[in-house]
Amino acid sequence: MAESRVALKRSEVEQLKAVCREFNNDPGELINVLHKAQGIFGYLPAEVQEVVAQELNIPVAKVYGVVTFYSFFTMIPRGQYPISLCTGTACYVRGADKVLDEFKRLLKLDVGETSADGKFSLNCLRCVGACGLAPVVLVGEKTYGRVSPDQVREILKEYGYEV
Amino acid sequence: MAKYSMHLLVCGGTGCRSAHSAKITENFKNELDASNLSETIQVIETGCFGFCEKGPIVKIMPDNTFYTQVKPEDIKEIVAEHLIKGRKVTRLLYIDPEKKEKIEDSKHMGFYRKQLRIALRNCGFIDPENIDEYIAREGYEALGRCLAEMTPQDVINIVKESGLRGRGGGGFPTGLKWEFASKYQADQKYVVCNADEGDPGAFMDRSILEGDPHSVIEAMAICGYAIGATKGLVYIRAEYPLAIKRLQIAIKQAREYGLLGKNILGSNFEFDIELRYGAGAFVCGEETALIHSMEGLRGEPTVKPPFPAESGYWGKPTNVNNVETFANIPVIILKGGKWFRSIGTEKSPGTKVFALAGKINNVGLIEVPMGITLREVIFEIGGGIKDGKKFKAVQTGGPSGGCLTEKHLDTPIEFDTLIAAGSMMGSGGMIVMDEDDCMVAVAKFYLEFTVEESCGKCAPCRIGNKRLHETLEKICKGNGTREDIELLQNMSRVIKDTALCGLGQTSPNPVLSTIDNFWDEYIEHVDQKKCRAGVCKDLMQYVIRAENCVGCTACARVCPVGAISGERKSVHKIDPAICIKCGACIEKCKFDAIFIQ
Ligand SMILES: Cc1cc2nc3c(=O)[nH]c(=O)nc-3n(C[C@H](O)[C@H](O)[C@H](O)COP(=O)(O)O)c2cc1C
Ligand code: FES
């Protein structure tokens, strides 16, 4: 797990404990709890996992096992503008890989990374179900459809990207 | 719906919503208010119409006018022209690609002509957030009939008689599955709806839940009655926020109407539904993995038997069905098993929803009777291949399926014929590929998916798929040999025979089917180091066309690695040993003198 420890805000920890209580501190609700926890903290660092383990009375290793199993959970903070590319099949055959390359090139990030200034993060998703708009890119909640590599720069500019 | 003289149906599916359909609804409401029409004309945000290619869609009833690619700015004109003056806005009508004629009425569109909608019966017709609209279309009548007139065994018998087979991929007879679950005695049983929809490129389950959530709720209650369960769970992907929201609304409304909860419709039957969220793991679509995930564990599958019908969620008898399977149930109860059997084929009765995607003109969601041919689906309903290119393959069954080709176009589509052709039905995703797609790279793409999604529990899947992927990568990089193709085939068979769950048992299918159907392409890759589709970068060479080169030196100056040489005003040359194929020279050349070989 992460070397340097993060200090969690007290109020957020209380919020997390309340979530666990809402689910009756039931270990069977672990995934639901983690969904809510990621909603509160934006990601699931070791410290959050420890609180969850404590509250649900299960080993931290078990929580860690679940967090790392599911791609929806992340232990790295996402950027202010999280960029997700669909790399589902429909998007792939319509050129999603070339769009991804362009994002990687411009942001100098690899998939799963967050920029040093915390502004952008780059991730891949498997099919958001908008295959008619392939290739699909999500920035936060906003969807961009039929994206071509030469539109990437324009999209990034909307979020204050400068070369 | 009686008090209104006209209804405006605006598609509110995920696809159209990403193209601002919510704004369209809002603009309609404002315009109608401004023209004092909101008393007589109703705006309804529906589920998906299926014709995602031309979204956002607006349909006007009762005259069936079908407007495509509507923008929020168009609303003023539609209201002023169509709704007030009765003149259709012709520029927004769909144009038949063949006859080049404008089509006013959706019934005459090639896309809809061959479709038969059972599971999607309400999608695009009703407001999914309003239970009354579902009820107005015979909603909850089937549940009422089961509770009032039928024994649980009667219900099972009708489903058995219908011959309905699971739409989640396996094609197991639903009636039989219900019967197994009903036979086991326990203090608690569960009905689970599998809404994990992991196959990328398939979005029918999402569309049903977004467009007609009550049909699934009603069917789960019917199943609960049939097998003796009082608890239902929907396992749904977290990637589907809109479907989750509509399902939550629908469950709440059903409870308020006494259609969920205790003493449903005055009987002593009790049933309620809760949601469980997935967290992005493909293997969780497999039923045993799904059950573990619902218990808060890592989504790893376990060996069957015991089947969930005997020991499932928390060790209790559990019946797992797919969303689309459930959506068929209420209609089967109302119209009978015989009626359902009269549709489709002998071995695969009924219809199937397919998601058309990829290089096809009409991307979207269609529902057709089983037994229809691929040709009808791709060329008549799907409108053929994009940009007039040549059809190469259609991938069905997702990462577990295979690629079918020209020679399969006239095969009737049903569970068993697809398996015989080396693919499978899967959840109904159909990805169409054209001459620009390299089949070796496609196989590699699917293996990349499997490697990422393998849960790692069994060695054949965890290690074997990785080796398959490496070997494909080697071939795509131009380092492959004929022995590698043989290795792929052997290893695929071993993985299929020895993997623990359905994921590994089917993951080599894309490899085997592309080798079978596109042998020449594999051979070209290994013998001639050539990729005819021009996809495998390492097999491409940048070459200067001597006739066109004027010797301007622009390419040599832009080349980051100094691979281009030549005197000013004389033909240049690219040294393939140095070239990194970045493409900078092509972009720079004004004389079209550089091409990829
Ligand atoms: C790797 C794997 C993934 C699966 N994914 C799904 C899925 O996303 N949705 C689904 O309904 N069934 C999926 N299934 C099939 C389920 O295990 C199960 O057979 C199905 O939900 C049963 O419902 P049905 O009989 O109504 O089809 C998957 C199976 C395997 C082996
Ligand atoms: S494959 Fe990208 S949205 Fe479906």
Side-chain angles (χ1 to χ4, degrees):
Chain A
M1 286 193 211
E3 288 294 317
S4 60
R5 306 215 24 114
V6 244
L8 303 178
K9 276 203 206 103
R10 222 201 162 98
S11 61
E12 287 177 339
V13 173
E14 285 313 314
Q15 215 180 327
L16 177 58
K17 287 185 179 168
V19 166
C20 295
R21 275 197 300 277
E22 214 181 288
F23 289 106
N24 301 321
N25 299 67
D26 178 357
E29 300 279 4
L30 177 58
I31 291 174
N32 280 340
V33 170
L34 291 175
H35 271 296
K36 294 247 166 160
Q38 188 156 301
I40 298 171
F41 297 94
Y43 70 122
L44 298 170
E47 293 70 17
V48 170
Q49 298 177 31
E50 283 161 17
V51 176
V52 171
Q54 191 79 38
E55 293 302 301
L56 303 189
N57 200 16
I58 45 178
V60 187
K62 198 182 150 190
V63 179
Y64 178 71
V66 168
V67 168
T68 50
F69 184 85
Y70 295 98
S71 63
F72 203 82
F73 299 133
T74 170
M75 291 178 60
I76 303 170
R78 297 255 150 100
Q80 184 188 356
Y81 302 112
I83 299 169
S84 312
L85 268 90
C86 176
T87 46
T89 324
C91 290
Y92 167 76
V93 300
R94 286 205 184 172
D97 49 339
K98 298 194 185 78
V99 178
L100 178 61
D101 284 344
E102 188 65 7
F103 271 108
K104 283 191 196 166
R105 195 176 71 87
L106 291 178
L107 293 172
K108 300 191 180 62
L109 289 179
D110 220 334
V111 176
E113 290 182 349
T114 302
S115 61
D117 60 2
K119 208 158 179 182
F120 295 104
S121 55
L122 192 58
N123 275 291
C124 287
L125 286 175
R126 296 291 189 188
C127 193
V128 290
C131 314
L133 299 172
V136 176
V137 174
L138 297 174
V139 182
E141 304 265 290
K142 191 160 176 200
T143 314
Y144 296 83
R146 304 200 176 98
V147 178
S148 62
D150 42 319
Q151 287 170 337
V152 170
R153 192 179 289 265
E154 289 306 308
I155 293 177
L156 286 175
K157 271 194 194 151
E158 283 179 43
Y159 301 90
Y161 167 86
E162 283 155 41
V163 189
Chain B
M1 293 190 185
K3 89 183 210 263
Y4 297 102
S5 63
M6 223 182 215
H7 298 276
L8 309 179
L9 307 177
V10 183
C11 179
T14 292
C16 285
R17 271 192 159 220
S18 353
H20 315 296
S21 75
K23 182 83 189 144
I24 293 177
T25 311
E26 189 190 318
N27 286 6
F28 263 128
K29 288 195 171 144
N30 292 341
E31 285 295 321
L32 291 179
D33 274 344
S35 318
N36 282 324
L37 286 171
S38 39
E39 293 288 309
T40 47
I41 301 178
Q42 189 188 19
V43 187
I44 302 173
E45 196 178 271
T46 69
C48 180
F49 283 84
F51 202 43
C52 310
E53 179 71 38
K54 295 280 182 211
I57 308 283
V58 171
K59 192 168 168 180
I60 301 190
M61 298 295 271
D63 60 12
N64 259 321
T65 309
F66 198 85
Y67 288 132
T68 55
Q69 292 181 316
V70 179
K71 295 196 188 63
E73 308 84 87
D74 297 328
I75 304 314
K76 230 186 170 82
E77 186 178 346
I78 297 180
V79 172
E81 284 295 307
H82 190 149
L83 304 187
I84 297 179
K85 300 194 187 125
R87 293 193 296 233
K88 294 191 177 179
V89 183
T90 47
R91 72 183 168 86
L92 295 174
L93 292 173
Y94 175 67
I95 302 171
D96 184 300
E98 262 172 42
K99 299 198 200 106
K100 308 276 177 251
E101 284 166 9
K102 298 207 159 163
I103 300 183
E104 300 193 355
D105 178 336
S106 59
K107 292 209 176 80
H108 294 106
M109 286 166 56
F111 184 73
Y112 287 107
R113 218 179 297 132
K114 289 213 162 172
Q115 291 201 44
L116 175 66
R117 298 184 144 219
I118 299 175
L120 298 178
R121 61 195 176 279
N122 291 324
C123 287
F125 287 101
I126 63 169
D127 175 356
E129 299 186 9
N130 183 348
I131 188 171
D132 291 328
E133 296 205 4
Y134 179 68
I135 291 174
R137 287 174 65 96
E138 301 188 317
Y140 291 103
E141 255 181 67
L143 177 63
R145 195 178 292 176
C146 290
L147 297 181
E149 301 164 15
M150 295 159 78
T151 64
Q153 189 61 43
D154 291 340
V155 178
I156 291 173
N157 288 344
I158 290 200
V159 178
K160 269 168 80 177
E161 190 193 358
S162 74
L164 174 66
R165 295 173 68 174
R167 304 298 196 234
F172 191 82
T174 306
L176 268 186
K177 197 187 256 186
W178 289 18
E179 193 157 53
F180 289 144
S182 75
K183 293 271 151 68
Y184 289 101
Q185 299 302 323
D187 53 348
Q188 182 65 259
K189 295 186 191 179
Y190 296 96
V191 174
V192 172
C193 173
N194 185 344
D196 194 44
E197 195 157 56
D199 172 6
F203 49 101
M204 57 283 297
D205 294 348
R206 196 210 68 206
S207 294
I208 291 172
L209 292 171
E210 282 177 9
D212 192 17
H214 285 286
S215 67
V216 176
I217 294 175
E218 180 179 8
M220 288 177 72
I222 292 172
C223 178
Y225 177 70
I227 69 165
T230 55
K231 284 218 171 110
L233 296 147
V234 182
Y235 185 85
I236 184 165
R237 302 178 72 191
E239 288 91 335
Y240 286 177
L242 187 60
I244 292 175
K245 180 184 143 210
R246 299 222 166 121
L247 206 47
Q248 282 167 336
I249 294 174
I251 291 173
K252 186 164 161 279
Q253 290 175 343
R255 283 189 193 137
E256 282 164 11
Y257 276 56
L259 296 161
L260 286 178
K262 292 201 162 71
N263 302 107
I264 294 176
L265 293 167
S267 71
N268 54 16
F269 175 60
E270 170 187 349
F271 192 77
D272 209 349
I273 296 177
E274 278 177 37
L275 302 188
R276 285 285 185 282
Y277 305 110
F282 174 68
V283 72
C284 287
E286 197 280 333
E287 52 192 12
T288 59
L290 179 147
I291 288 169
H292 295 307
S293 176
M294 292 200 308
E295 292 168 346
L297 306 172
R298 289 162 69 96
E300 288 171 356
T302 37
V303 184
K304 296 186 274 191
F307 287 91
E310 182 184 350
S311 170
Y313 188 52
W314 299 123
K316 305 288 183 193
T318 304
N319 180 78
V320 184
N321 276 127
N322 161 264
V323 173
E324 187 188 334
T325 313
F326 276 126
N328 279 294
I329 295 287
V331 192
I332 291 176
I333 299 289
L334 290 179
K335 298 199 177 173
K338 264 204 199 73
W339 166 82
F340 193 76
R341 250 193 192 291
S342 72
I343 301 161
T345 65
E346 158 113 41
K347 293 223 174 93
S348 304
T351 56
K352 177 78 192 87
V353 182
F354 290 103
L356 300 181
K359 308 277 180 65
I360 189 163
N361 276 319
N362 301 339
V363 166
L365 209 60
I366 62 164
E367 183 170 355
V368 287
M370 296 269 195
I372 195 168
T373 63
L374 279 171
R375 189 184 300 282
E376 287 169 283
V377 168
I378 296 170
F379 291 93
E380 291 183 36
I381 300 173
I385 311 304
K386 255 202 156 29
D387 305 325
K389 298 251 172 156
K390 202 165 163 307
F391 167 80
K392 185 173 205 173
V394 54
Q395 210 281 350
T396 68
S400 315
C403 290
L404 303 172
T405 64
E406 193 86 44
K407 71 172 192 265
H408 301 111
L409 280 178
D410 294 306
T411 312
I413 305 172
E414 23 170 3
F415 286 103
D416 316 285
T417 51
L418 288 184
I419 290 176
S423 184
M424 61 186 270
M425 181 80 79
S427 52
M430 275 196 189
I431 313 271
V432 177
M433 301 176 194
D434 68 9
E435 51 197 302
D436 295 338
D437 289 302
C438 164
M439 301 318 284
V440 185
V442 164
K444 188 176 91 164
F445 168 81
Y446 278 107
L447 261 295
E448 223 164 80
F449 180 89
T450 320
V451 167
E452 219 170 90
E453 296 295 337
S454 167
C455 75
K457 189 167 171 175
C458 77
C461 179
R462 182 183 64 238
I463 303 171
N465 284 318
K466 225 176 171 114
R467 294 292 94 82
L468 284 182
H469 181 254
E470 281 167 8
T471 312
L472 288 165
E473 178 123 330
K474 186 172 158 200
I475 295 177
C476 288
K477 284 211 148 55
N479 303 323
T481 59
R482 289 201 177 212
E483 285 74 50
D484 287 319
I485 305 180
E486 215 171 287
L487 177 71
L488 284 175
Q489 288 174 310
N490 286 338
M491 205 151 45
S492 292
R493 281 188 214 106
V494 173
I495 297 172
K496 278 177 75 116
D497 288 345
T498 52
L500 169 70
C501 83
L503 178 72
Q505 287 157 10
T506 55
S507 61
N509 285 352
V511 181
L512 289 176
S513 83
T514 48
I515 294 181
D516 278 352
N517 292 320
F518 297 95
W519 177 255
D520 293 351
E521 268 186 58
Y522 274 85
I523 292 297
E524 272 172 20
H525 276 74
V526 297
D527 284 0
Q528 302 162 33
K529 312 292 176 212
K530 190 178 141 202
C531 171
R532 65 170 88 167
V535 171
C536 299
K537 234 178 167 176
D538 295 291
L539 305 186
M540 297 188 299
Q541 272 199 21
Y542 284 72
V543 185
I544 294 183
R545 202 178 270 130
E547 319 81 273
N548 288 20
C549 180
V550 297
C552 71
T553 73
C555 59
R557 275 179 284 133
V558 75
C559 178
V561 290
I564 307 181
S565 57
E567 293 294 311
R568 188 165 244 308
K569 300 228 166 100
S570 67
V571 175
H572 281 49
K573 236 185 108 196
I574 302 177
D575 183 347
I578 307 176
C579 173
I580 54 164
K581 296 159 190 165
C582 66
C585 52
I586 290 204
E587 251 169 60
K588 203 78 195 175
C589 180
K590 293 201 187 83
F591 305 96
D592 196 20
I594 304 176
F595 66 103
I596 302 170
Q597 195 173 45

